[in-house]
Every structure is written in C-alpha cells, then in structure tokens.
Amino acid sequence: MNTCSNFHTHTTFCDGKNTVEENAIEAEKRGLCALGFSSHAMLPFSDSWHLKTEKVSEYCDSVRLSAKHHPSLAIRLGFEADFIPDFTFPTFEHYAEFSPDFLIGSVHFVYNNRGIFEADDSFESVLGGIKKLYNGNVQAAVERYFEQQREMLQTGDFSIIAHADLIRKPNERGHFFREDESWYRTQLRLTADAIKRAGVAAEINTGGIARKRLSSPYPSKEFLSLLFERNVPITISSDAHESWQIDCAFEEARKLARSVGYRETIVDFPQKGQFVFAPL
C-alpha cells in the first residue's frame, strides 16, 4: 500500500488557492493513496477565510463528484471545524446534515470575555492580542490556548486534532516564550493526556514549513514524544492551501515520527471511528 495520504486540504471554497479537482489531480500525480478535503468551517457562522454557510452543500457535492472522477484515489469529505467556546463546535452531530467522513477539530482563536485573537496570526497581531486580552501576560495567553484545546477534546466529537501546538507558529524565534519553560511543558503533558482520553488521532502537520513560518512540523518533537508514550495514533498531513503543497515535507514528518518511536501512520478515515494504518 502507498503510505502517502493527506487529510488536511483547503480549496477555493475557503482560503485555498486551488479547486477541489485541481488538488485531486495533483494528489493522483504524486501517487497519494487517499486525499481528505477539510474546508475551514465554523458553522453556523463564517468569516473571510472559512467556508461560507451558503456554499457548504456545493462544497460537499464538489468533493463527492471528484471522488467519482478519481476512483483510484480514496477521496474523503471532511471539515476543519473550529472550536470557539459558546459559538461553534467540532462534532459529528453539528455537521450531521452533510455526512462527513471525518472531522478535524481545530483551535485557531484564543478567546476570553475581552475579545479574541488568532493564535497563528503575524507576530505583531498576536502580540497585540496578548496585550489587549491578557495585559501582555504571554504565559496566561498560551495557557488559555491549550486550555481551549482541552475543552474541545472533552466536549467535541471528531477524528483528528489539528496542529496541536499551533501557538508555536508566531514564536519560531522564541519572541514570546521558551518551549523548555516548566509551565509550557506542563501544558504539553496535560494536553497529551486529553488527546489520549478523547481517542482521536493527532496530525503531524507540515503547513508551517510550506508557508515558511516554521522550520519543523507541528507538533514539536517533545510534544510528539508525549503522544507516542500515550499510544496516540498519528496521521501525516500538509495543511495544503495550494496544490503543490499536497505532500510538502512529508519525508521530514516521517523522520520526526520515527525518531520518537512511531512505526505506522493512519492513511485513511473511511468513516467515523475507523482508522486504516500503514507502515511509515
């Protein structure tokens, strides 16, 4: 079996640059065995980079039609569903009308009663959000990000947790915090425990590399080691926003996985609760 699959793919239905069909053609050219489409979604809401509510059915139809056009490629319908407390939730029940094959649970927004900021925005925007919402207290903001991940894992119902340490993205040069600080490492341990309890897969996500914001995948090697110790299954994904990124830095991701002990990866999510594994 070809062990190369990608279940984190964005298209022109959200903030991607290529159509569903263009991504499918590229995946087939590169020899992938499976391709999952995962439009950004925050139903019943939407914003500038999420799937518009009036376009959801068209998106689903487009993915299913592409699956018919490419029978040698296992094409799956999914959503990267954002979690914002009290607003939108990644659960199969919430998306049941569209019968997704898989769901990615994702925290992009750090939220409190004073407002919201995007965890993976530019350094300047994240700094502004931390100043406004947390009076400049970086530790409090980062801890809140991980707390929201754990809330999502406790209350959600999904297949894959997305880029579980996305907050690293604006911190590539250590501007905000050091990853060896004890409070940060505690957050990783607590979140790894929550991922294990939730029974979801974790992705090794190379999107930060593709967009030149990070020099290594999510999650960090330390975080991935914690997941391996807890027998959390993994899948490798590129978070592709352009078709050329479909398998970006996958060999680097495989090396990272092997370095902490993994020997297999999930290569298909044929339906809710089902994982298909293949050797790394």
Side-chain angles (χ1 to χ4, degrees):
M1 174 187 285
N2 187 327
T3 61
C4 190
S5 63
N6 175 43
F7 280 84
H8 198 150
T9 312
H10 299 288
T11 72
T12 50
F13 279 102
C14 54
D15 60 346
K17 304 298 185 186
N18 293 95
T19 65
V20 167
E21 184 64 9
E22 287 168 344
N23 278 287
I25 290 170
E26 189 65 27
E28 206 163 48
K29 284 181 181 177
R30 298 192 184 208
L32 268 67
C33 67
L35 179 65
F37 287 97
S38 53
S39 187
H40 288 294
M42 53 191 303
L43 299 183
F45 309 103
S46 62
D47 69 6
S48 61
W49 51 274
H50 285 73
L51 178 63
K52 299 295 184 287
T53 52
E54 66 272 17
K55 290 284 189 178
V56 179
S57 293
E58 183 182 345
Y59 161 70
C60 296
D61 290 344
S62 180
V63 172
R64 293 188 177 110
L65 181 61
S66 191
K68 292 179 180 178
H69 289 166
H70 302 274
S72 65
L73 180 64
I75 292 180
R76 307 302 183 197
L77 171 65
F79 298 89
E80 182 181 4
D82 261 299
F83 172 69
I84 305 175
D86 303 321
F87 288 94
T88 187
F89 312 91
T91 68
F92 278 96
E93 181 180 4
H94 197 56
Y95 288 80
E97 177 184 353
F98 308 105
S99 302
D101 300 308
F102 72 100
L103 283 180
I104 299 175
S106 187
V107 173
H108 287 99
F109 301 97
V110 181
Y111 167 81
N112 70 12
N113 57 11
R114 300 174 67 179
I116 195 167
F117 73 87
E118 291 182 30
D120 62 335
D121 211 334
S122 67
F123 169 78
E124 293 77 15
S125 294
V126 172
L127 179 61
I130 292 172
K131 287 180 177 178
K132 179 181 178 181
L133 274 62
Y134 294 93
N135 299 316
N137 186 330
V138 172
Q139 180 176 337
V142 174
E143 287 179 336
R144 180 56 188 147
Y145 164 77
F146 282 109
E147 286 169 3
Q148 284 182 210
Q149 296 250 52
R150 296 193 292 273
E151 289 173 23
M152 176 181 71
L153 287 157
Q154 183 176 2
T155 61
D157 173 26
F158 51 92
S159 314
I160 309 165
I161 182 168
H163 35 57
D165 53 359
L166 183 66
I167 198 71
R168 288 173 53 226
K169 191 172 180 180
N171 192 57
E172 168 75 350
R173 298 179 182 176
H175 291 303
F176 292 121
F177 58 89
R178 294 200 336 263
E179 293 183 36
D180 61 353
E181 293 183 80
S182 60
W183 65 266
Y184 183 80
R185 300 176 83 177
T186 295
Q187 292 302 312
L188 297 188
R189 288 193 296 273
L190 291 172
T191 306
D193 288 340
I195 293 171
K196 173 61 177 178
R197 285 194 298 271
V200 300
E203 65 169 5
I204 300 181
N205 181 312
T206 62
I209 298 173
R211 290 183 286 286
K212 303 186 186 305
R213 292 284 302 277
L214 285 177
S215 58
S216 61
Y218 314 102
S220 66
K221 185 173 182 177
E222 179 176 359
F223 200 174
L224 191 62
S225 295
L226 294 171
L227 297 175
F228 176 74
E229 290 171 5
R230 290 157 177 77
N231 295 311
V232 172
I234 58 164
T235 188
I236 294 174
S237 62
S238 65
D239 201 345
H241 284 69
E242 299 182 54
S243 59
W244 69 264
Q245 299 171 353
I246 285 284
D247 59 355
C248 178
F250 271 21
E251 187 53 39
E252 184 171 343
R254 284 190 281 265
K255 287 178 180 177
L256 175 63
R258 293 188 195 107
S259 74
V260 303
Y262 281 103
R263 294 296 179 264
E264 62 180 8
T265 180
I266 299 169
V267 294
D268 198 5
F269 297 82
Q271 57 183 296
K272 179 185 175 183
Q274 289 190 358
F275 300 160
V276 176
F277 291 89
L280 273 168

